[in-house]
Amino acid sequence: MKGDYQELVDEISTLLGAPATLENRDFGLIAFGAHDSDSFFDETALDPVRTRSILTRKSTPAVRAWFEGFGITRATGPVRIPAAPDAGVLRDRICLPVRHRGVVLGYVWLLDAEPGPTHEQLTAAMEVATRIGGLLADEERAGADLSRELRASLTAERGWQYDMALAALRTALGPDAEGLHALVCVAPWPNEDGPSSRTVPSAAALCTVPWGGPGGAVSAKSGGREGADAHAGGDEPAGPTAAPRALAALIRLRSADNLAPATAAANQLRDAAGPKAVAGVADPRRGLPSLDTAWREAGAAARAATAQPSLGPLARWAAIGPYRLLTGLPAAEPDPAVRALLGPAHGELARTAEVFLDHAGQAGRTAAALGIHRQTLYYRLSRVEQLTGLDLDAGEDRLLLHMALKAAKL
């Protein structure tokens, strides 16, 4: 990238017949054109301001304020700045603002001398400055921390707040916002902050959000106000009493048929989170309008992986079967018919009933899966019927019991 800047600065130097200097919008030096050592060297070409910029790769706040006083932050074309010996500026200068989509990202500086560059030369140089602006924007976007924008989009309620958060995220992502993505949820996440997106291949943005875990909400939109209230007032301090967190990762995809970048990122982040962490991957989507739906899917898949180890430790929304329905239900107390069965004293009976229903009520397969005799199975199932008052030969009773047992794990 730096080589690209140097080539473009040299191109401007050649166009205007004078050495150019490129600085970012904070006046940090990026690249500068070489002076011609074969010609007469004018010592004023390296006045104190220019010398400091090249040697220390930055300018002082006072110098920055002085130059900005000429309107360079708002300018869309070349700005001529007169010499000011008292300020250490011994030569007139020309500033070419480097902009991208209307935002100033840097400046190209040249020394001005009679007769100076022509209008055509300056127009050609501004075209090069526009190309530099594109490079700076790409680099800024690639290194940007978009955690704030992503977190706001995932925790805002549907309405104007969600629309504003999504607009901010779309602006921050630039062209990536309209691309194909998959959202990943890794939970629980052990730290207050997430890793840099630059450390995760294909990651467009990462952030931490409140996580309710089993029985709780992933965000403000997926289970009441728990997530929003836990997050109100900023991030909580890390520690034993800190609210549980999940990590959200927005992963770029090349094809909707290939989720490999998302699963690779999920596995990398899950490994970083520790042995108890699980990951959920939402269905791929193009653009951001359904980001809240994608987050519910990713969180639901992670909750399903926690509740049903056979689905995890990494689960895709498309593969969690009945948990797509169960994770969408609001949190509620267990049905009165099964409340006693779900108590700690009857864990073995509850497991027996769940395995029996998982095997479609086939006694032989159930007994084999549990490693018990059929008579033992029949005895346990009769005890389940006595505790619940349900008839395991009735389809609706089976459905109620099966859903209650699965939901209890969430």
Side-chain angles (χ1 to χ4, degrees):
M1 187 69 79
K2 296 300 183 185
D4 295 334
Y5 292 133
Q6 187 63 58
E7 289 177 6
L8 292 173
V9 168
D10 289 343
E11 185 175 343
I12 291 177
S13 298
T14 301
L15 281 170
L16 303 184
T21 301
L22 172 63
E23 295 179 337
N24 61 27
R25 59 183 158 199
D26 296 321
F27 283 59
L29 182 67
I30 297 175
F32 60 91
H35 291 264
D36 186 356
S37 59
D38 295 331
S39 61
F40 173 74
F41 180 69
D42 183 355
E43 291 184 358
T44 62
L46 286 176
D47 57 26
V49 169
R50 191 177 181 89
T51 300
R52 178 184 175 87
S53 174
I54 292 175
L55 293 180
T56 67
R57 308 193 75 82
K58 62 183 178 180
S59 297
T60 65
V63 167
R64 173 177 175 175
W66 189 81
F67 280 117
E68 288 179 342
F70 289 91
I72 61 175
T73 60
R74 302 181 301 277
T76 57
V79 178
R80 281 190 156 88
I81 299 174
D86 292 344
V89 181
L90 305 183
R91 292 277 297 275
D92 295 350
R93 279 170 168 72
I94 297 176
C95 175
L96 307 180
V98 176
R99 310 183 80 89
H100 181 75
R101 295 187 176 182
V103 178
V104 65
L105 299 178
Y107 308 97
V108 175
W109 300 95
L110 302 108
L111 298 179
D112 196 10
E114 293 296 337
T118 66
H119 175 73
E120 290 74 16
Q121 287 176 307
L122 288 174
T123 298
M126 283 300 298
E127 291 177 356
V128 180
T130 299
R131 287 153 54 194
I132 294 174
L135 284 179
L136 285 171
D138 288 343
E139 185 174 14
E140 188 173 88
R141 194 157 48 242
D145 176 9
L146 306 184
S147 60
R148 181 177 60 183
E149 290 82 357
L150 181 59
R151 182 183 297 112
S153 298
L154 298 182
T155 57
E157 296 283 359
R158 269 283 185 177
W160 67 268
Q161 291 177 318
Y162 175 73
D163 293 339
M164 289 184 64
L166 212 59
L169 178 61
R170 185 180 292 110
T171 298
L173 286 171
D176 276 352
E178 305 308 318
L180 195 65
H181 300 93
L183 203 53
V184 171
C185 172
V186 177
W189 186 255
N191 304 316
E192 181 178 345
D193 299 315
S196 167
S197 60
R198 284 173 285 183
T199 66
V200 182
S202 302
L206 301 170
C207 73
T208 57
V209 294
W211 167 254
V218 179
S219 72
K221 296 186 295 298
S222 61
R225 294 300 306 169
E226 293 92 332
D229 292 343
H231 194 62
D235 290 335
E236 304 87 343
T241 60
R245 296 178 182 274
L247 182 78
L250 187 64
I251 306 298
R252 304 181 191 92
L253 300 177
R254 292 182 179 273
S255 167
D257 298 327
N258 183 9
L259 284 176
T263 55
N267 281 322
Q268 176 184 332
L269 293 167
R270 187 176 54 78
D271 288 343
K276 295 183 178 180
V278 296
V281 181
D283 281 347
R285 286 174 172 80
R286 188 171 295 280
L288 302 177
S290 300
L291 191 68
D292 57 344
T293 300
W295 180 234
R296 282 197 295 271
E297 291 179 1
R303 291 173 62 199
T306 301
Q308 191 70 41
S310 62
L311 294 173
L314 189 156
R316 294 185 299 109
W317 163 258
I320 63 174
Y323 286 99
R324 293 200 294 268
L325 172 64
L326 293 172
T327 53
L329 298 176
E333 291 294 320
D335 187 89
V338 299
R339 189 174 294 140
L341 179 64
L342 296 175
H346 302 297
E348 188 174 63
L349 291 180
R351 178 170 176 266
T352 298
E354 183 176 7
V355 174
F356 175 71
L357 295 169
D358 285 344
H359 287 85
Q362 297 183 24
R365 293 174 57 199
T366 304
L370 293 172
I372 59 177
H373 194 275
R374 281 198 184 199
Q375 292 303 318
T376 303
L377 172 64
Y378 294 144
Y379 170 74
R380 291 182 184 178
L381 293 177
S382 67
R383 289 280 295 123
V384 169
E385 289 183 323
Q386 291 171 8
L387 276 171
T388 63
L390 299 175
D391 180 0
L392 294 184
D393 288 330
E396 290 188 356
D397 284 2
R398 282 192 181 189
L399 177 61
L400 171 60
L401 180 58
H402 208 178
M403 289 181 63
L405 291 168
K406 296 295 186 186
K409 294 183 175 181
L410 295 171

